[in-house]
Amino acid sequence: MNTSRILIVDDNPEIREIIHILLEGEGFEIREAKDGRQALELAESLDFDLIILDIMMPGINGYQTCIEIRQNSNAPILFLSARTKDSDKTLGFSSGGDDYLAKPFSYNELISRAKALIRRYQVYRGKDAPLTSAPGEAAQKEEHRGPLIFHHLKIDEETEAVTSEGNPLVLTDTEYAMLLLLVKHRGQIFSAQHLYESVWNEPYYYGANNTVMVHIRNLRLKIEKDPKNPLLIKTVWGKGYRCD
């Protein structure tokens, strides 16, 4: 089995130390960065299964760091910040983040979210994950029967490659999971709660609707020819989202 590697990015050494001790105790390999620039250097030289990223840092802030990391990596990014307004969370998701946890945080919640993000990432990458996969995820891998063709998109479950008219698309782990779920269940309406619990693999909570909405918007920007008038992922007002 592979040991999952986590990068902790925070300008506060005490917070880095606390998170380091917590996650190392769970068997993860840990690297630390004190700012965005150091995080980018580490992300270029090493592969990570999770990046825990603070927002308010000197130099390059967390949002910009996330955007730059996303140019070369699909590793899940968990924002950890004292900024708790909905607009802050929306900006975090728009920058390419997968989840958002407010400071001060529960140690158990941090560990649970870290494991959930890593598990999804490794399952969809086809890796032998050191964490126990959910039954639904294992079944989904076994159901692979070749590339899925959906309008101008081609989705190869084996390699997780997604192309649009032959051109490769760069999707985050969460975006890929959401697209695969919707495409494999064409015509079915997924509520925000159903999508969140299926993709994030955790209970729905107040505010998760906004999380789903931002990820749908980011996904449309990548797969739709005209994101303002989407044809692939349609909104069913008052009910949810559907792929036709």
Side-chain angles (χ1 to χ4, degrees):
M1 289 188 178
N2 298 310
T3 299
S4 298
R5 183 184 293 139
I6 299 176
L7 174 60
I8 302 169
V9 189
D10 199 301
D11 62 326
N12 188 323
E14 293 181 359
I15 291 179
R16 292 201 309 272
E17 181 180 13
I18 290 172
I19 299 174
H20 190 136
I21 293 172
L22 282 174
L23 296 178
E24 193 171 57
E26 296 293 320
F28 297 112
E29 178 184 342
I30 306 299
R31 294 287 188 276
E32 295 184 22
K34 62 181 180 181
D35 54 35
R37 181 55 59 194
Q38 189 175 29
L40 292 173
E41 292 174 355
L42 284 170
E44 288 179 0
S45 60
L46 295 171
D47 290 328
F48 291 96
D49 296 284
L50 175 65
I51 298 171
I52 298 176
L53 185 58
D54 186 28
I55 292 177
M56 300 302 294
M57 297 183 293
I60 306 174
N61 65 31
Y63 298 135
Q64 186 60 40
T65 301
C66 182
I67 290 172
E68 295 197 29
I69 287 175
R70 277 287 170 256
Q71 294 178 13
N72 301 299
S73 173
N74 286 328
I77 294 176
L78 169 61
F79 277 110
L80 194 63
S81 176
R83 304 183 64 163
T84 58
K85 293 182 179 179
D86 286 343
S87 58
D88 296 321
K89 295 180 181 180
T90 299
L91 187 54
F93 294 133
S94 298
S95 302
D98 293 278
D99 205 351
Y100 197 109
L101 186 60
K103 298 177 183 178
F105 53 87
S106 159
Y107 294 166
N108 287 335
E109 185 173 12
L110 173 64
I111 292 171
S112 296
R113 293 204 186 192
K115 287 184 175 181
L117 287 166
I118 292 172
R119 179 175 61 244
R120 288 205 318 275
Y121 184 53
Q122 294 186 331
V123 164
Y124 286 107
R125 290 176 68 196
K127 290 178 63 176
D128 182 17
L131 306 173
T132 303
S133 299
E137 293 170 336
Q140 187 177 58
K141 287 186 64 180
E142 294 172 359
E143 292 172 358
H144 170 65
R145 292 183 176 84
L148 297 173
I149 305 300
F150 179 60
H151 293 268
H152 57 273
L153 299 180
K154 179 179 178 182
I155 305 170
D156 190 325
E157 292 182 73
E158 186 172 329
T159 63
E160 297 181 19
V162 180
T163 58
S164 173
E165 298 180 336
N167 299 310
L169 299 178
V170 180
L171 305 182
T172 67
D173 170 58
T174 303
E175 290 165 352
Y176 175 83
M178 187 175 288
L179 175 63
L180 186 64
L181 179 66
L182 289 169
V183 170
K184 294 185 77 170
H185 297 85
R186 302 179 202 183
Q188 179 178 339
I189 299 174
F190 283 83
S191 66
Q193 179 174 349
H194 193 172
L195 270 175
Y196 185 84
E197 292 180 346
S198 298
V199 174
W200 275 260
N201 196 32
E202 61 182 51
Y204 186 79
Y205 68 95
Y206 177 77
N209 180 67
N210 190 53
T211 299
V212 171
M213 180 181 66
V214 173
H215 279 82
I216 287 287
R217 184 180 65 190
N218 290 344
L219 182 56
R220 282 172 170 162
L221 288 172
K222 296 180 179 181
I223 69 173
E224 298 278 1
K225 293 184 177 180
D226 182 3
K228 293 183 179 180
N229 298 287
L231 296 177
L232 305 186
I233 300 179
K234 295 184 177 180
T235 299
V236 182
W237 296 109
K239 295 184 179 180
Y241 304 94
R242 180 186 68 209
C243 274
D244 290 328

